[in-house]
């Protein structure tokens, strides 16, 4: 079975400060890892993903995440946040071995303070 | 590119009333389809997924059911709503073949059971 843990339910951070949103997963098979972002009253949008290859993946708006197999982590980082980054962030895991079933963490609410 | 349509966006229903939420997908064929529920502070819970017409798998026992009468149509139903059915319901899909490793989400339905 697969599961995802997001330890931080709420993260307040000042504008232009760095941020890290933590994600740990458990799985006995090879995994795909994702970060999704949800703005108020909207569905989820894919922010970035790790499938294979380079363990550092980046999004178009400055976020990055690093797959760490030994620590079973996929933490999301941004060196300088903007007000527009305020949203709910979800980490998710799936596996090519388990028929495209996706499992999500409970989410982290990022609030950027002006 | 694929598009997921969900309706209605907001729904207020009394306890004991029936429910029907519809999701349709455009721009792709034979997708995998999913229903998720998002409750406050609990992340996304996978309710149902479908790999084809008439093929429904349920992740958790509950008061809800799902049907897939057509390839790109996925319906979430209940005969009698409970207060605990309140939440934000999201339809999602994955594509067949290349690009099948990520979920695409609809804009969601906010259901309030009173």
């Amino acid at each position: 079975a697969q599961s995802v843990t997001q330890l931080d339910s709420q993260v307040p951070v000042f504008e232009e400060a760095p941020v890290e949103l933590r994600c740990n997963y458990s799985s006995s098979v090879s995994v795909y890892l994702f970060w999704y972002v949800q703005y108020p009253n909207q569905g989820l949008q894919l922010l970035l993903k790790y499938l294979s290859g380079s363990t550092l993946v980046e999004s178009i708006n400055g976020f990055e995440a690093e797959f760490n197999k030994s620590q079973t982590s996929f933490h999301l980082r941004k060196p300088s946040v903007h007000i527009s980054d305020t949203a709910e962030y979800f980490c998710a895991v799936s596996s090519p071995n388990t028929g495209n079933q996706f499992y999500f963490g409970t989410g982290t609410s990022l609030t950027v303070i002006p | 590119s694929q598009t997921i349509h969900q309706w209605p966006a907001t729904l207020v229903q009394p306890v004991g009333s029936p429910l029907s939420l519809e999701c349709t997908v455009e721009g792709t064929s034979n997708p995998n389809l999913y229903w998720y529920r998002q409750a406050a502070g609990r992340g996304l819970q996978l309710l149902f997924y479908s790999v084809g017409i008439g093929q429904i798998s349920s992740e958790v026992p509950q008061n809800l059911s799902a049907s897939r009468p057509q390839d790109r149509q996925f319906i979430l139903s209940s005969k009698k709503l409970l207060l605990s059915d309140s939440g934000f319901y999201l339809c999602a899909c994955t594509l067949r073949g290349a690009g099948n490793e990520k979920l695409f989400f609809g804009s969601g339905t906010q259901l309030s059971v009173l």
Side-chain angles (χ1 to χ4, degrees), chain A:
Chain A
Q2 298 169 331
S3 66
V4 177
T5 302
Q6 291 181 249
L7 293 173
D8 308 303
S9 60
Q10 295 184 342
V11 174
V13 63
F14 286 103
E15 192 175 14
E16 298 184 3
V19 70
E20 178 181 82
L21 306 183
R22 295 181 291 170
C23 171
N24 289 89
Y25 69 92
S26 65
S27 176
S28 58
V29 297
S30 61
V31 295
Y32 297 150
L33 293 160
F34 307 83
W35 276 99
Y36 282 84
V37 59
Q38 184 182 34
Y39 299 101
N41 299 315
Q42 295 185 24
L44 279 70
Q45 304 170 36
L46 181 65
L47 187 61
L48 47 75
K49 62 183 179 182
Y50 167 79
L51 304 181
S52 64
S54 173
T55 57
L56 184 65
V57 292
E58 299 177 349
S59 72
I60 58 173
N61 57 351
F63 282 94
E64 65 177 30
E66 186 164 17
F67 170 54
N68 188 319
K69 188 174 182 179
S70 63
Q71 297 185 9
T72 60
S73 68
F74 191 57
H75 301 330
L76 182 70
R77 302 183 182 94
K78 189 170 185 179
S80 176
V81 295
H82 302 289
I83 295 292
S84 59
D85 293 325
T86 294
E88 190 88 12
Y89 291 80
F90 291 92
C91 184
V93 62
S94 74
S95 170
N97 304 76
T98 57
N100 291 117
Q101 294 188 50
F102 292 75
Y103 297 90
F104 285 81
T106 51
T108 297
S109 177
L110 173 64
T111 301
V112 180
I113 305 165

